Amino acid sequence: MDYKEVLLSPISIGNQVCQNRFFIQPMECTDADTQGNPSELTYRRYENLFRGEAGMVCLEAITITDKNRSRLNQLFIMERNLKPLEKFVSHLREINPNTIFIFQLTHSGELSNPEFSRRVSVKPLPGFEADVMTEEEFEKIMDDFVLAAKIAHDAGANGIDMKFCHGYLGSQILRPYNDRKWKYGGPWENRRQFAFDLYERIQKAVKDRNFLVGSKISVWEGFPGGFGTAGPDTPVIDLTEPIDLIKGLEERGAQFFIQSAGSPSITISLTQADKSAPYFAYLHQYFAKVFRENLKPETVVIGSNYSVFRDGKNGLFAVSQEDSSLLRYGAKNINSGFTDMVGLGRQSFADPLLPKKLRLGQEGEIKYCTACDNCLELLIQQQPIGCCTYNKYYTQVLVQVRKEKGKLKAKHT
């Protein structure tokens, strides 16, 4: 198997042609300006990604509201943001017109940060105290999602990722724990209807056959009552509902799915395997395979959690270093029919130019993610996020954050 040939081969997604099999995951970076528009830092990050020649790039968790959000400096997608987003997309197209660019639409729900926004929930989880949303409030949220999809289209995006993962509002509604008696609660037929209604409304609002619609989905959240479990009070895996969801969304026009797992605020090692337990990433390969087996051949499946495999120096046992690298696992899973594309998250911080380097035969120059997860520390601290190992700017941000934390700790001891 020539892994380079596999990874650099094109693939069709809907009416779009993706130049290679690399997908840049939506990575929240908290560096928008005060109005939720792309800042200089945002421009710099995405310019590098577009220069890096990934086949498809997803704009990070762009929130449909400024009232309920998890990040202080989060990107917004409301009417006031249309022109800045239009300028942003146009600029990136000048750098690389071939990369497919989609926006991930989100609402933080119970993950909204109460320090600067209102935390709301359909049914609060233990430890996540929040205001319970009324059905009227939720109808407004549905309207905002549809409006955001129209804005994304008008700004020049190629499509949207309707976010149903990582503990945000979409996954909160879908999980069995949402046994509340309301329009979108209780039986699976009610909970899934939220996603179905949203897709149908977006399809009616954006009448462009070239506009892509898909979703990133946490197949199994890994805690009692989470999505992909056997009931509202058990963590036992049961993929009946996730499989039914993707089939139903496919019937309603979904052209791609991004496979994920876990909820970072609860089961972070499941969402992104760390270097102490890299084998958690194997679960993602299985979940992607489940998606692939239950969808039509033309529906694209994007696999996740490849960063931890790096160049094979990953701490995994019972497998050779050569066989367990990011590039080889990615190509092998595509060749085996387990997935169609390889999602890069933390690795896209470490080296946004990876696809281009592979194309140019510069594989030896690729900077691999060390899974230090210092970028996660910056996220938790509401700071601009990037690779603290290879990018000096973010190294300095991390050093300053730790200094401030040290001073604060000393003050209270």
Side-chain angles (χ1 to χ4, degrees):
M1 176 190 68
D2 185 339
Y3 63 86
K4 179 176 179 179
E5 182 179 344
V6 172
L7 293 169
L8 295 179
S9 63
I11 185 172
S12 294
I13 308 178
N15 291 331
Q16 307 279 348
V17 177
C18 199
Q19 299 299 309
N20 56 54
R21 302 304 180 98
F22 290 107
F23 170 75
I24 303 301
Q25 298 273 17
M27 304 292 287
E28 290 182 278
C29 287
T30 68
D31 57 18
D33 68 17
T34 56
Q35 296 300 306
N37 296 316
S39 69
E40 182 181 341
L41 275 179
T42 318
Y43 268 82
R44 191 185 309 166
R45 287 191 295 111
Y46 284 91
E47 285 169 353
N48 286 332
L49 291 170
F50 272 65
R51 291 189 184 104
E53 300 181 0
M56 184 156 74
V57 171
C58 189
L59 183 66
E60 65 203 76
I62 185 166
T63 178
I64 62 169
T65 176
D66 57 358
K67 303 294 189 297
N68 321 102
R69 64 188 198 278
S70 56
R71 309 300 168 203
L72 181 61
N73 297 310
Q74 191 165 358
L75 290 170
F76 298 163
I77 183 162
M78 296 180 286
E79 288 179 304
R80 74 184 192 216
N81 306 111
L82 173 58
K83 291 299 181 183
L85 287 171
E86 192 174 25
K87 178 183 176 183
F88 182 58
V89 173
S90 177
H91 174 74
L92 296 175
R93 296 246 186 268
E94 291 175 2
I95 294 173
N96 182 354
N98 297 318
T99 290
I100 296 173
F101 195 26
I102 63 174
F103 290 6
Q104 184 185 69
L105 307 184
T106 193
H107 184 292
S108 296
E110 70 192 12
L111 298 187
S112 300
N113 192 317
E115 292 183 10
F116 48 78
S117 68
R118 179 179 172 232
R119 178 174 282 177
V120 295
S121 177
V122 295
K123 183 190 174 187
L125 282 169
F128 291 85
E129 291 73 21
D131 296 336
V132 176
M133 282 186 291
T134 66
E135 295 198 37
E136 292 75 18
E137 286 178 314
F138 194 77
E139 286 303 317
K140 173 64 166 59
I141 289 172
M142 294 287 278
D143 292 341
D144 288 343
F145 269 122
V146 175
L147 176 60
K150 291 171 66 177
I151 293 171
H153 175 268
D154 293 345
N158 296 112
I160 58 166
D161 159 19
M162 188 57 252
K163 188 174 186 177
F164 298 145
C165 66
H166 298 175
Y168 292 87
L169 184 63
S171 54
Q172 293 163 27
I173 296 167
L174 293 169
R175 61 177 61 135
Y177 182 77
N178 171 26
D179 58 5
R180 172 181 162 189
K181 294 181 180 179
W182 68 304
K183 182 179 180 180
Y184 295 129
W188 171 237
E189 290 72 21
N190 289 1
R191 289 180 280 125
R192 72 177 185 180
Q193 196 59 44
F194 145 73
F196 292 174
D197 287 351
L198 194 50
Y199 261 62
E200 289 170 2
R201 288 186 59 181
I202 288 172
Q203 297 284 17
K204 289 178 181 177
V206 183
K207 297 177 181 179
D208 182 349
R209 293 183 61 206
N210 295 321
F211 192 69
L212 303 176
V213 180
S215 285
K216 186 169 185 175
I217 298 173
S218 286
V219 184
W220 176 56
E221 290 192 282
F223 59 85
F227 195 50
T229 62
D233 58 0
T234 175
V236 172
I237 298 175
D238 184 336
L239 301 187
T240 304
E241 291 179 358
I243 290 170
D244 185 68
L245 176 68
I246 60 174
K247 286 184 174 181
L249 293 178
E250 183 183 57
E251 291 174 3
R252 288 161 178 81
Q255 297 117 323
F256 67 90
F257 290 101
I258 309 155
Q259 162 274 319
S260 192
S263 176
S265 299
I266 303 170
T267 49
I268 181 62
S269 294
L270 179 56
T271 299
Q272 53 181 63
D274 57 44
K275 59 185 177 184
S276 67
Y279 44 82
F280 275 138
Y282 292 147
L283 279 171
H284 288 258
Q285 297 183 24
Y286 165 67
F287 291 143
K289 178 175 178 286
V290 170
F291 272 25
R292 184 61 281 159
E293 290 173 342
N294 284 280
L295 294 166
K296 298 174 182 176
E298 62 268 23
T299 303
V300 172
V301 173
I302 302 167
S304 294
N305 242 242
Y306 283 92
S307 296
V308 74
F309 292 113
R310 41 196 332 265
D311 56 355
K313 299 175 183 177
N314 48 38
L316 288 166
F317 297 105
V319 62
S320 71
Q321 179 177 314
E322 182 183 31
D323 289 339
S324 68
S325 70
L326 181 162
L327 297 177
R328 287 191 179 274
Y329 260 136
K332 181 178 182 180
N333 288 335
I334 292 170
N335 235 21
S336 300
F338 299 159
T339 190
D340 300 303
M341 295 183 69
V342 174
L344 302 180
R346 289 167 289 176
Q347 176 59 43
S348 70
F349 287 159
D351 195 342
L353 305 181
L354 183 151
K356 182 177 182 179
K357 288 179 178 178
L358 184 63
R359 180 181 66 80
L360 294 177
Q362 300 171 347
E363 187 179 335
E365 298 178 23
I366 293 173
K367 300 172 183 176
Y368 283 100
C369 174
T370 62
C372 67
D373 283 342
N374 286 330
C375 54
L376 179 61
E377 182 177 343
L378 291 179
L379 179 69
I380 293 169
Q381 297 301 323
Q382 297 285 343
Q383 296 296 315
I385 298 153
C387 183
C388 301
T389 301
Y390 300 113
N391 191 316
K392 289 184 178 179
Y393 175 85
Y394 296 104
T395 306
Q396 292 169 354
V397 173
L398 181 66
V399 169
Q400 188 60 36
V401 165
R402 289 179 174 175
K403 280 184 180 179
E404 294 300 323
K405 284 176 66 179
K407 289 178 182 177
L408 190 64
K409 184 177 180 181
K411 185 178 179 180
H412 290 88
T413 57

